[in-house]
């Protein structure tokens, strides 16, 4: 029973936390919650214009493993006058930002220092343990997944230590038309900005995006899904400890509606949204396109005709489809298998990998935004297609206390014959993102590759993709006709992986955002400004007093 499992997990965490908390003075300086002993008395706070504040009413923070209350989340409302301070705070930021290449450039260096100190703190195993444990309490994924998320965040902070924040705002110059003239291109801040982030990466997504905003000179209002925003609150407290000015960033724990209301009234000059496509489209319309989007992914992997490293490929397929219970925007949603892989037993090897997943170590866990009924309904629709079948999984998890508002489902694969990848209607059904442990598998021969390519062209959301092949002709054929923003190619190709060292984001949408790299930060959080220096002298002819004719 998971109640036993949960108890065992808490015991393990307790040992960890006692070790971390008692031995670490820095943690005592900024942390306001104990990840192991979270309870109804663990109160979160909002940060508005430098002040940590509560609200009149509160919402419960629920343990996704057993439904118990593990915290109280602020619930700011317009009725109680709790939204206006956030609106005023954003409005107080000039559109020229808190710093830019001409004004307050010292702040680029300040952020380099903050990053250095924060990265050093995360190097302390007790502090990283604190954050991993906290994340795991609210998004129950394996410790390795939480650790990986924090490592990416740490490396990102290392990357922007020292002068690298300054280098983000590097400008260029072109010679002008005459002496004294020169044009210089700058990366300029937007001023007041907002960031809306989902539940699945409670630290990595908000930290990489909000720091990007701050680096470029913006003020930012941060809202993370309140199911998990306890983690970013503690991280922001750590950043204050590292010298981040308290008024640069506001944090609001709230429901979507009050956030939308704040955005409508404060009109930030840029919103960066990461989450579902439905909400992305809504915000995009409401704010006239001033939204940079990281939205849903129906991420595909295609195994080419050249078979090899079968164990590795099977392992990677399993990781891509089911790590973090399939709740990565980059999760493998569909796998196109060249029939050559059948002889090598690829599917059997994948099934054997799945059998190693367990609630005990959270290599499978709660599905936070899909219920079992919704998953079952989608599976039934797929199974209505002639020849479709369950390859593995397909059932609810048993023996646990995960509340029914969340899904709890076995890692599942549904086989759908390639003959169905024909009409738009069928492709729309087969290519629907299920944000949970479910993938579609199909197989093809080279003579049906065009059907595969047509399907890929139909997919609306072009986030990640993988072409598993070392055959350059095959790779070029697939890459040349597709557009996914983050695409891996080669025998070791994967769909998941959003590290700090490469671009991660969709392609083919002018509103598309990226995360983490210098290019992503510049692209999302700054805009181009060109200053044309024209200092004279005026030409000698002007001294004769004859004005040229107007034109
Ligand atoms: N492309 C990426 O980098 C990326 C990363 C993670 C998740 N995702 C996508 O996110 C989705 C899963 O997350 P979800 O279903 O919880 O997303 P969601 O869109 O429901 O919520 C995301 C965030 O938006 C907030 N929100 C919702 N409506 C809002 C509104 N009207 N105004 C202001 N804020 C609002 C939520 O409270 C939450 O903080 C999946 O589709 C996944 O693919 C994409």
């Amino acid at each position: 029973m998971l109640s036993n499992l949960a108890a065992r997990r808490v015991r393990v965490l307790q040992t960890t936390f006692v070790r971390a908390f008692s031995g670490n003075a820095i943690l005592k300086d900024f942390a306001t919650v104990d990840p192991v002993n979270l309870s109804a008395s663990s109160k979160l706070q909002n940060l508005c214009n430098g002040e940590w504040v509560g609200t009149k009413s509160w919402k419960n923070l629920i343990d996704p493993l057993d439904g118990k209350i593990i915290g109280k989340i602020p619930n700011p409302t317009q009725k109680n006058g709790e939204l206006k301070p956030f609106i005023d705070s954003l409005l107080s930021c000039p559109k020229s930002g808190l710093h830019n290449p001409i004004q307050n450039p010292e702040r680029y260096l300040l952020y380099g220092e903050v990053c250095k100190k924060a990265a050093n703190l995360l190097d302390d195993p007790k502090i990283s343990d604190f954050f991993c444990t906290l994340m795991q309490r609210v998004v129950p994924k394996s410790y390795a997944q939480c650790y990986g998320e924090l490592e990416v965040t740490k490396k990102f902070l290392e990357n922007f230590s020292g002068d690298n924040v300054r280098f983000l705002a590097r400008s260029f110059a072109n010679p002008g038309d005459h002496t004294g003239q020169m044009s210089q291109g700058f990366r300029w801040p937007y001023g007041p900005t907002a960031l809306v982030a989902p539940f699945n990466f409670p630290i990595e997504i908000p930290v990489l995006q909000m720091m990007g905003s701050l680096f470029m000179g913006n003020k930012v209002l941060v809202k993370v899904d309140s199911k998990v925003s306890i983690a970013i609150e503690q991280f922001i407290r750590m950043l204050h400890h590292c010298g981040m000015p308290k008024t640069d960033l506001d944090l609001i724990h709230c429901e979507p509606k009050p956030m939308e209301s704040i955005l409508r009234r404060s009109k930030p000059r840029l919103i960066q949204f990461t989450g579902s496509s439905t909400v992305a489209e809504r915000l995009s319309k409401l704010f006239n396109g001033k939204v940079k989007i990281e939205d849903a992914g129906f991420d595909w992997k295609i195994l080419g005709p050249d078979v090899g490293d079968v164990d590795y490929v099977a392992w990677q397929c399993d990781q891509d489809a089911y790590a973090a219970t399939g709740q990565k925007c980059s999760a493998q949603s569909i796998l196109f298998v060249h029939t050559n892989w059948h002889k090598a037993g690829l599917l059997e090897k994948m099934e054997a990998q799945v059998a190693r997943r367990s609630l005990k170590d959270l290599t499978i866990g709660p599905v936070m935004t899909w219920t079992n009924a919704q998953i079952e309904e989608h599976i039934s629709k797929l199974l209505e297609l002639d020849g479709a079948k369950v390859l593995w999984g397909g059932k609810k998890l048993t023996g646990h206390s995960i509340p029914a508002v969340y899904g709890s489902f076995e890692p599942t694969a549904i086989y759908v014959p390639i003959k169905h990848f024909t009409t738009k209607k069928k492709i729309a059904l087969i290519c629907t993102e299920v944000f949970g442990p479910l993938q579609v598998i199909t197989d093809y021969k080279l003579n049906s590759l065009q059907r595969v390519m047509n399907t890929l062209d139909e997919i609306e959301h072009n986030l990640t993709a993988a072409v598993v092949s070392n055959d350059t002709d095959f790779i070029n054929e697939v890459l040349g006709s597709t557009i996914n923003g983050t695409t891996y190619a080669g025998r070791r190709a994967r769909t998941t992986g959003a590290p700090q060292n490469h671009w991660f984001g969709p392609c083919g949408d002018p509103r598309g955002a990226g995360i983490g790299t210098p290019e992503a930060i510049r692209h999302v959080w700054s805009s181009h400004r060109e200053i044309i220096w024209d200092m004279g002298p005026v030409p000698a002819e002007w001294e004769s007093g004859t004005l040229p004719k107007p034109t």
Side-chain angles (χ1 to χ4, degrees):
M1 296 294 290
L2 193 73
S3 36
N4 292 337
L5 286 175
R8 193 163 60 219
R9 184 182 65 128
V10 167
R11 274 201 301 280
V12 172
L13 295 180
Q14 242 155 3
T15 332
T16 316
F17 192 70
V18 167
R19 194 187 67 227
F21 206 49
S22 61
N24 199 292
I26 300 166
L27 204 45
K28 275 187 191 155
D29 275 351
F30 71 79
T32 57
V33 296
D34 170 343
V36 175
N37 296 307
L38 294 176
S39 69
S41 62
S42 313
K43 275 195 166 173
L44 283 64
Q45 284 185 304
N46 285 334
L47 175 66
C48 185
N49 213 11
E51 299 292 325
W52 287 106
V53 290
T55 43
K56 290 203 178 106
S57 80
W58 300 80
K59 294 227 155 197
N60 291 332
L61 175 62
I62 300 296
D63 187 333
L65 286 180
D66 58 17
K68 292 204 177 110
I69 299 172
I70 53 171
K72 291 284 178 187
I73 314 167
N75 182 29
T77 61
Q78 195 159 324
K79 192 175 70 177
N80 293 332
E82 290 160 334
L83 307 187
K84 190 162 182 307
F86 289 95
I87 297 163
D88 292 343
S89 180
L90 262 191
L91 288 174
S92 73
C93 178
K95 62 186 178 191
S96 52
L98 301 174
H99 62 262
N100 60 51
I102 294 182
Q103 205 169 61
N104 303 327
E106 309 78 16
R107 285 172 45 94
Y108 293 108
L109 309 188
L110 175 115
Y111 272 98
E113 237 351 73
V114 170
C115 288
K116 185 179 88 183
K117 288 185 183 149
N120 282 342
L121 286 187
L122 294 182
D123 249 343
D124 180 337
K126 290 169 184 168
I127 293 179
S128 68
D129 193 28
F130 169 83
F131 283 113
C132 292
T133 307
L134 187 56
M135 276 194 271
Q136 206 182 29
R137 288 306 305 272
V138 286
V139 191
K141 48 189 180 182
S142 71
Y143 195 87
Q145 286 289 325
C146 296
Y147 186 78
E149 177 171 349
L150 203 69
E151 269 294 293
V152 168
T153 310
K154 188 186 84 180
K155 290 200 170 107
F156 166 87
L157 293 167
E158 283 167 358
N159 284 349
F160 292 101
S161 297
D163 282 321
N164 282 318
V165 176
R166 180 210 316 256
F167 293 152
L168 279 175
R170 171 173 288 155
S171 60
F172 66 85
N174 278 318
D177 290 342
H178 46 252
T179 302
Q181 192 190 62
M182 182 184 290
S183 62
Q184 195 172 3
F186 292 96
R187 295 313 303 179
W188 216 256
Y190 287 97
T193 64
L195 162 64
V196 180
F199 72 89
N200 59 343
F201 287 90
I203 287 186
E204 181 186 339
I205 292 178
V207 173
L208 271 57
Q209 291 294 14
M210 76 194 192
M211 294 310 275
S213 181
L214 295 167
F215 293 164
M216 298 314 297
N218 305 295
K219 176 167 180 136
V220 62
L221 168 63
V222 177
K223 181 228 177 308
V224 180
D225 192 319
S226 53
K227 291 196 278 293
V228 305
S229 52
I230 188 172
I232 194 67
E233 177 184 328
Q234 297 302 306
F235 204 93
I236 290 169
R237 289 177 184 277
M238 184 185 79
L239 291 171
H240 289 162
H241 178 82
C242 296
M244 182 174 88
K246 282 181 86 177
T247 49
D248 284 9
L249 173 158
D250 292 340
L251 170 71
I252 186 158
H253 304 279
C254 70
E255 294 296 298
K257 217 171 142 196
M259 181 62 177
E260 197 179 294
S261 171
I262 291 172
L263 295 175
R264 278 173 191 263
R265 289 153 69 199
S266 59
K267 295 198 172 42
R269 299 184 68 82
L270 169 73
I271 300 167
Q272 197 284 312
F273 173 81
T274 305
S276 65
S277 302
T278 316
V279 178
E281 291 303 329
R282 178 181 171 82
L283 295 181
S284 192
K285 285 190 188 113
L286 273 177
F287 298 100
N288 303 317
K290 291 185 180 172
V291 184
K292 290 259 171 70
I293 294 172
E294 292 261 21
D295 59 347
F298 189 82
D299 308 302
W300 50 266
K301 181 184 279 174
I302 178 163
L303 308 188
D306 51 321
V307 176
D309 300 305
V310 184
D311 287 307
Y312 181 87
V313 171
W315 175 83
Q316 188 63 65
C317 284
D318 173 71
Q319 281 291 109
D320 283 343
Y322 306 124
T325 310
Q327 295 170 104
K328 296 187 184 188
C329 48
S330 52
Q332 176 179 301
S333 299
I334 190 162
L335 179 66
F336 296 93
V337 181
H338 190 282
T339 48
N340 287 352
W341 290 81
H342 290 324
K343 287 171 240 133
L346 177 88
L347 294 184
E348 292 76 9
K349 284 177 191 284
M350 282 174 65
E351 190 172 359
Q353 289 290 340
V354 167
R356 304 200 305 166
R357 297 194 169 272
S358 158
L359 261 171
K360 281 189 197 140
D361 55 8
L362 295 174
T363 45
I364 190 76
V367 184
M368 308 285 282
T369 53
W370 279 64
T371 61
N372 285 343
Q374 290 169 314
I375 298 174
E376 282 171 335
E377 189 189 335
H378 184 68
I379 291 177
S380 327
K381 283 187 191 154
L382 290 174
L383 292 178
E384 279 169 20
L385 299 170
D386 172 46
K389 59 183 177 188
V390 176
L391 287 175
W392 52 80
K395 294 199 276 304
K396 293 183 257 195
L397 296 174
T398 53
H400 61 78
S401 347
I402 296 171
V405 287
Y406 301 124
S408 45
F409 220 79
E410 290 178 350
T412 297
I414 308 292
Y415 173 80
V416 177
I418 193 76
K419 67 179 179 184
H420 291 295
F421 292 67
T422 44
T423 63
K424 278 187 188 297
K425 198 172 160 205
K426 278 188 185 175
I427 291 175
L429 166 68
I430 299 165
C431 298
T432 294
E433 183 200 40
V434 174
F435 211 49
L438 186 137
Q439 64 175 322
V440 170
I441 297 183
T442 190
D443 49 11
Y444 73 99
K445 292 192 167 75
L446 280 184
N447 61 10
S448 53
L449 183 61
Q450 195 49 49
R451 189 168 288 179
V452 175
M453 300 312 298
N454 292 345
T455 303
L456 301 185
D457 204 47
E458 284 291 323
I459 295 174
E460 192 57 37
H461 303 293
N462 303 283
L463 188 56
T464 74
V467 188
V468 178
S469 172
N470 282 344
D471 174 337
T472 43
D473 289 343
F474 180 78
I475 292 178
N476 286 337
E477 185 164 356
V478 177
L479 294 189
S481 336
T482 51
I483 65 167
N484 299 60
T486 304
T487 306
Y488 283 89
R491 180 65 58 69
R492 296 187 65 174
R494 54 187 174 145
T495 62
T496 55
Q500 73 300 328
N501 63 313
H502 68 62
W503 172 277
F504 184 88
C507 174
D509 185 335
R511 304 162 303 174
I515 184 168
T517 59
E519 292 75 20
I521 292 171
R522 276 192 287 262
H523 167 76
V524 175
W525 294 109
S526 66
S527 62
H528 184 91
R529 183 183 193 189
E530 192 102 351
I531 294 180
I532 297 92
W533 307 102
D534 211 347
M535 323 292 269
V538 294
E541 303 91 270
W542 282 80
E543 279 169 23
S544 67
T546 327
L547 293 180
K549 282 191 179 155
T551 59

